[in-house]
Amino acid sequence: MLLKLKKIFKSLRKSKDGKTLVANFGYLSLLQVAGYVFPFITMPYLAKVIGVEGFGKIAFAAAIMVWMQTIADWGFNYTATRDVAKNRENKEKVSDIFSRVFWSRCLLMLFSFLLLVLLVYLVPKFKENAAVILVTFLMIPGQIMFPDWFFQAMERMKYITMLNLLSKLLFTVLVFVFVKDKNDYILQPLFVSLGFILSGIIAMYYILIKWKVKLRVVSFLSIINTIKSSTDVFINNIVPNFYNAFSTLLLGFVAGSTANGILDAGKKFLTIGSQFLGVFSRTFYPFLSRKIEKHSFYAKINITVVSLISFCLFLCAPFLIKLFFTSEFSEAVVVLRITSISLLFESLKNVYGINYMLLQGYERQMRNIMIVCAFVGFCISFPLIHYFTYVGAAVVYTFTLGLMGISSMIFVIIKQRKNENIDSRRLRA
């Protein structure tokens, strides 16, 4: 497997597109380091200081933010990336796309905030954790100001990456300085949110001042039309929350913060692996939008690398949990082992769903696949979480991703074979 990877990367370095892909992959990887690995560094310290209950409260708030963030993103991280990548030489067109997407996301953020306030007011569990939930929400305006989709589409990750890295490093240091006891757990999401906001300010400076992209005022009708154009992709993005984020919320209601803490600890390493998959997917997305014939090449790289990562996580689960957490998190080993398998399924979903079906205009078909699979995951989450708590939540996550990944792969294989048959008939005619 390693020899195969070596040959693939050697061939990448020989072409111009390959060099661009490698460079973008490196910069996107550093951005993910800034966003995920630095908080990961604080994990052993936080596990010791705030304990499993504090971890659980942070995880509960983070699960809610997945829903709020998905609403604010509304699929633009794919549709806007695709549109800017195709028009990046046209500065006026780029400014128009950027402006419409920016104001659309601001409107969606306002809607999600009002929805969140209503939930905090009406739901006792939300009201009990109101402070940590509202503090965690601060990361969403930061993410809107830091449109990584734009840098990805323009393939200009270099200038912003190091500044983003430094800002995340600063707020990671603040965790060690200010978090001193269990009651300080709320400072962790606060520092993460401030990191997003600082990065966002820097990003807007580069986009508007350095690169002279114009942020225009657009009509309300234009905003509504922009939102409508990404609705199918939004549905593709929101439905996984019905088995993933919902499982975390349901677990919090059924088994409390301690169970959420164990689930979150086991999935922390999976999050790093998942973000690595995201880097891979996003690196190739603008490239494949121009050269879809290279898809099989991308598929080989992705699936080979992910298989290796998944195997390592499964094998090293006891060592990783023991190294990064205290003894009260020991049950997270089984969570990590179950969810490590899901990385391979997520790879199939990225390869055949996002980086093929979306690019080939099969948004609705992909939406339908995601809805059906998520509905199955939603249904099985109730009995599995009720009887098996965090283990049940891990099984729901892995099983549902498996359905999504395998279904996407089967759809693409059937479509490709049909197209090959049509082409062969035309040649014979």
Side-chain angles (χ1 to χ4, degrees), residues 302-322:
N302 195 306
I303 294 170
T304 303
V305 171
V306 172
S307 297
L308 186 62
I309 294 172
S310 183
F311 176 74
C312 290
L313 283 176
F314 184 89
L315 197 66
C316 300
F319 171 75
L320 290 171
I321 297 299
K322 187 175 181 180

Side-chain angles (χ1 to χ4, degrees), residues 76-277:
F76 295 129
N77 47 342
Y78 294 110
T79 56
T81 300
R82 178 192 61 201
D83 295 342
V84 170
K86 290 179 179 178
N87 297 280
R88 62 186 183 188
E89 302 303 324
N90 186 337
K91 186 65 72 70
E92 286 299 309
K93 186 68 174 175
V94 168
S95 295
D96 179 60
I97 295 168
F98 178 77
S99 299
R100 286 189 288 106
V101 171
F102 180 84
W103 294 119
S104 296
R105 292 187 72 189
C106 287
L107 179 63
L108 291 165
M109 179 188 68
L110 177 61
F111 171 77
S112 64
F113 179 71
L114 294 175
L115 177 62
L116 183 64
V117 170
L118 183 64
L119 289 171
V120 167
Y121 179 76
L122 295 176
V123 182
K125 184 73 174 178
F126 282 45
K127 187 178 290 186
E128 178 187 332
N129 294 281
V132 66
I133 290 170
L134 294 174
V135 165
T136 307
F137 183 85
L138 290 174
M139 70 174 61
I140 293 180
Q143 287 173 334
I144 290 175
M145 288 191 296
F146 183 73
D148 52 356
W149 62 267
F150 182 82
F151 297 105
Q152 176 195 351
M154 297 295 287
E155 295 186 277
R156 298 181 69 176
M157 305 298 295
K158 180 178 180 179
Y159 305 101
I160 200 65
T161 299
M162 294 308 297
L163 291 171
N164 188 283
L165 194 66
L166 288 172
S167 69
K168 295 297 188 295
L169 174 61
L170 171 63
F171 288 103
T172 298
V173 171
L174 291 177
V175 167
F176 289 102
V177 173
F178 291 101
V179 178
K180 297 298 182 183
D181 58 52
K182 289 187 176 182
N183 294 324
D184 293 334
Y185 69 90
I186 197 171
L187 294 178
Q188 191 271 346
L190 175 63
F191 293 148
V192 171
S193 297
L194 290 175
F196 275 110
I197 291 170
L198 179 59
S199 298
I201 292 170
I202 296 169
M204 292 300 285
Y205 168 79
Y206 269 89
I207 293 168
L208 302 179
I209 308 299
K210 288 286 187 179
W211 298 344
K212 301 188 184 304
V213 174
K214 297 174 183 176
L215 180 60
R216 300 169 178 148
V217 176
V218 299
S219 68
F220 183 75
L221 181 62
S222 178
I223 291 173
I224 296 302
N225 289 334
T226 301
I227 292 172
K228 283 182 180 179
S229 68
S230 286
T231 299
D232 282 336
V233 181
F234 163 71
I235 294 171
N236 288 331
N237 289 343
I238 195 73
V239 290
N241 295 342
F242 286 101
Y243 69 88
N244 186 10
F246 177 77
S247 294
T248 303
L249 294 177
L250 183 61
L251 183 64
F253 281 102
V254 171
S257 297
T258 299
N260 259 343
I262 292 172
L263 177 67
D264 188 58
K267 289 178 69 177
K268 281 291 183 187
F269 304 93
L270 181 73
T271 301
I272 300 299
S274 183
Q275 293 307 317
F276 178 80
L277 283 186

